[in-house]
Amino acid sequence: MAAAPRRVRVRVAPSPTGPPHVGTAYVGLFDYVFARQTGGDFVLRIEDTDRERSTRQSESDIIAAFRWLGLAWDEGPDVGGPFGPYRQSERSHIYRQHAEALLQSGAAYRCFCTPQELAARRQARRSQGGQAGYDRLCRGLSEQEARQRLEAGAPHVVRLRVPLEGETAFDDLVRGAVSVHNAQIDDQVLLKSDGYPTYHLANVVDDHLMEITHVVRAEEWISSTPKHILLYKAFGWAPPVFIHMPLLRNKDRSKISKRRDPTSLLWYREQGYLPEALLNFLALMGWSLGEEREVFSLEEMIESFSWERVKTGGPVFDLQKLDWLNGEYIRAMSAEELLERIIAEPYTRRLDEPADGMLAITALVQERMKRLAEFDELTGFFFERKPYDPADLVPSKQDGDFVRQALAAGRGVLEGLDAWSAEALDAVVRGLAETRGWKRGALYMVLRVAVTCRRVSTPLFETMEVLGKDECMARLAAADAAAADLP
RNA sequence: GGCCCCAUCGUCCAGUGGUCCAGGACACCGGACUUUCGAUCCGGCAACCGGGGUUCGACUCCCCGUGGGGUCACCA
């Protein structure tokens, strides 16, 4: 039975009906890794068959988001390829043709029920505790009747004639056998009355025509996979391998949704999550290296990936862990690279500042940054004096008197200091604390607030060095004035 | 509700019949370092959903419960 080894072809098939979704990236990551590992092809196909909701904006956002992540596709609407077009809205004739073939063979039939009729009947059935789904009213229509209505121009859809008995099964690569009784399967709409295909038809036709070997998609599709199997059968095609990835979850374990957690890739990018960190994090959702290492590159994942190691339980998307991981990546790079990436996006509005100063500042915040977008907030005091409450100058267990003395003494020793380096500053201030018998921490806190206008800041002396003597002295003087009437 | 999928610390993962009174990571709580925050290092807390089988032996296999999730559209 050994089938000829086929080149692996996978696709990610987003529907451009909103912001690029993190779940799409999740599935796309596994597609990409699998394709790269096997030397296969990764295809991007735009499933824009919902004419109401699909937008070009959404499509380009999706493309931009995937580029940002670095998940490059070999074929797609923007780069072309031998199996195009890759936008379903441009393939309508293909679907119509295939629907026609099904009509001819009797595997499908025309249904003239209107949405309103369907809704009404559905509701009636439901209130009587009956089955959901289509009641198959038009399934029994005679050919003559159907033709009559068709010629009269009655709007209609094409439905799949699902066998009433038996069962349909498939083997999910990560879940094993799944089977459903055909009686449970609805006579699915294949072609809508606007002439566009539904997901079911378009998906099956395209996956076959594009020679997709492995369909990787989210778990929510499991229940419609039997319909797809039936469709492949009706066409006389061999179905691809199916792999249903678990659904990413909110904290309450429901399917991840923007109501609860951020789902837009645009948001992750804006916040300053690094693509490699986000990918690493997504990989951790359901897959592991097999050793106890959690920080790894895309390349490493490609090297050791296997479907056997993907879990089927739905993972909760934990932003706290993403933050930690992002911080790991931030700390692992050089300050130069970090700054480059902050400027490239940009994540800062300080684009006109001198490069050496920016680099020094970046080095100071690097180890306390979790997201690149925090840069300005963390470094604002370097560029401008921030308003602050003079009471902040007072260290715990100290009073205004201490603040005034500390400031006066501090200004005194610093005024005479010429070598304005962190080491020199450290030595001088340390010496001051000792000669006066002051608690070092208390003295430092006064200076910190005076110089950075904040109780929490980057290390004091490095910060003062970057700020320069003039600016520091001016800030100390201002603090001194503000401390005048501190109790 | 019908059908389907899933089930190890709060969360993410390791564990593929014995080496498990269950291991790592995040978070949390302590401690160390330290001029604040952070980073770093050290330590701690904390789980095999329940019940039946199978087996000499089950976290691991099977069944039934229970729980969670998904799906039941001319949306994907």
Side-chain angles (χ1 to χ4, degrees):
Chain A
M1 76 144 261
R6 273 224 278 167
R7 178 188 180 82
V8 165
R9 285 178 58 79
V10 291
R11 82 319 192 253
V12 64
S15 177
T17 52
H21 200 277
V22 69
T24 310
Y26 177 56
V27 172
L29 167 65
F30 285 85
D31 276 318
Y32 178 85
V33 166
F34 185 49
R36 287 295 159 268
Q37 182 183 59
T38 57
D41 301 317
F42 177 42
V43 178
L44 172 66
R45 186 173 71 218
I46 300 295
E47 309 227 325
D48 56 348
T49 55
D50 183 340
R51 290 206 293 178
E52 312 270 276
R53 300 194 300 146
S54 298
T55 66
R56 249 350 209 278
Q57 179 61 48
S58 172
E59 178 186 316
S60 52
D61 283 351
I62 290 168
I63 287 177
F66 266 68
R67 287 232 177 85
W68 170 67
L69 282 171
L71 302 178
W73 47 97
D74 305 294
E75 300 166 29
D78 55 333
V79 297
F83 297 89
Y86 294 90
R87 205 176 272 124
Q88 292 187 326
S89 58
E90 293 164 16
R91 301 169 63 84
S92 292
H93 60 289
I94 299 174
Y95 310 123
R96 244 174 259 138
Q97 207 172 296
H98 282 83
E100 191 57 41
L102 258 22
L103 247 14
Q104 290 299 320
S105 70
Y109 62 93
R110 294 183 208 277
C111 167
F112 297 88
C113 300
T114 66
Q116 297 71 241
E117 291 167 352
L118 289 173
R121 299 212 301 267
R122 192 155 33 224
Q123 206 184 354
R125 275 198 311 283
R126 198 165 299 176
S127 64
Q128 292 166 357
Q131 285 257 316
Y134 179 51
D135 57 15
R136 295 181 161 136
L137 192 71
C138 292
R139 181 170 168 134
L141 240 44
S142 72
E143 213 169 303
Q144 194 183 18
E145 219 171 331
R147 181 167 309 125
Q148 241 172 33
R149 296 228 226 165
L150 180 62
E151 278 162 8
H156 64 280
V157 301
V158 174
R159 285 182 186 272
L160 181 65
R161 192 185 301 274
V162 173
L164 272 9
E165 292 171 351
E167 62 174 37
T168 298
F170 68 97
D171 249 294
D172 187 290
L173 191 58
V174 297
R175 292 163 196 267
V178 178
S179 73
V180 177
H181 288 103
N182 291 337
Q184 293 293 332
I185 306 175
D186 209 14
D187 278 4
Q188 201 57 51
V189 171
L190 302 177
L191 212 57
K192 308 179 218 175
S193 56
D194 65 4
Y196 274 69
T198 58
Y199 170 85
H200 306 289
L201 209 220
N203 194 260
V204 165
V205 168
D206 284 347
D207 283 341
H208 177 258
L209 261 24
M210 295 182 179
E211 296 179 13
I212 299 303
T213 56
H214 300 254
V215 169
V216 185
R217 59 182 15 166
E219 184 181 1
E220 56 188 330
W221 291 107
I222 290 181
S223 59
S224 41
T225 302
K227 297 167 190 168
H228 302 163
I229 298 286
L230 254 16
L231 260 178
Y232 280 101
K233 230 179 245 176
F235 282 122
W237 299 337
V241 174
F242 288 97
I243 296 157
H244 290 95
M245 296 297 293
L247 236 21
L248 263 21
R249 313 285 190 92
N250 300 304
K251 271 215 182 314
D252 67 1
R253 298 212 166 269
S254 58
K255 171 162 97 168
I256 196 168
S257 74
K258 59 187 169 194
R259 284 187 211 301
R260 305 180 177 282
D261 276 320
T263 56
S264 168
L265 292 170
L266 264 25
W267 183 84
Y268 289 92
R269 183 175 183 171
E270 279 163 16
Q271 289 298 306
Y273 289 103
L274 301 164
E276 60 268 43
L278 183 56
L279 252 21
N280 190 159
F281 179 70
L282 254 14
L284 253 16
M285 306 268 89
W287 185 78
S288 61
L289 215 43
E291 50 184 289
E292 287 177 338
R293 188 156 59 98
E294 303 202 281
V295 184
F296 51 80
S297 68
L298 229 202
E299 285 63 40
E300 290 175 299
M301 182 180 180
I302 291 168
E303 215 169 292
S304 52
F305 178 77
S306 84
W307 291 113
E308 285 169 38
R309 296 196 67 83
V310 342
K311 295 233 318 174
T312 44
V316 171
F317 196 93
D318 180 8
L319 278 176
Q320 269 189 321
K321 187 155 185 176
L322 209 212
D323 277 341
W324 163 76
L325 194 56
N326 206 51
E328 289 283 307
Y329 277 87
I330 287 173
R331 274 171 261 131
M333 64 177 93
S334 67
E336 285 82 2
E337 186 187 350
L338 178 56
L339 177 59
E340 256 172 54
R341 294 178 70 157
I342 288 169
I343 287 174
E345 187 70 7
Y347 287 108
T348 178
R349 54 199 171 87
R350 316 285 179 187
L351 296 173
D352 299 323
E353 299 293 332
D356 54 341
M358 283 294 276
L359 185 59
I361 291 169
T362 301
L364 292 182
V365 293
Q366 181 165 20
E367 75 176 25
R368 59 208 87 212
M369 232 193 319
K370 293 202 181 308
R371 290 167 281 113
L372 302 193
E374 291 174 326
F375 184 82
D376 281 355
E377 187 193 318
L378 254 24
T379 62
F381 62 82
F382 279 102
F383 306 99
E384 61 211 51
R385 298 181 204 175
K386 299 280 192 184
Y388 61 93
D389 181 350
D392 282 348
L393 286 163
V394 187
S396 59
K397 295 183 194 144
Q398 302 291 346
D399 56 13
D401 229 33
F402 173 78
V403 174
R404 284 183 287 272
Q405 285 184 49
L407 249 13
R411 292 175 69 190
V413 298
L414 293 174
E415 192 57 65
L417 185 66
D418 290 323
W420 199 259
S421 69
E423 300 77 55
L425 286 160
D426 192 1
V428 167
V429 176
R430 194 176 290 261
L432 175 64
E434 271 164 34
T435 52
R436 295 299 200 104
W438 287 337
K439 295 205 74 162
R440 221 187 299 154
L443 174 59
Y444 286 20
M445 183 54 80
V446 174
L447 299 179
R448 174 187 317 285
V449 175
V451 167
T452 69
C453 313
R454 301 173 46 165
R455 295 183 71 89
V456 171
S457 77
T458 44
L460 183 57
F461 303 120
E462 281 88 340
T463 302
M464 288 176 74
E465 179 181 327
V466 171
L467 239 22
K469 184 172 179 180
D470 291 349
E471 180 64 18
C472 286
M473 294 315 293
R475 291 189 184 192
L476 286 167
D480 213 350
D485 36 38
L486 235 31

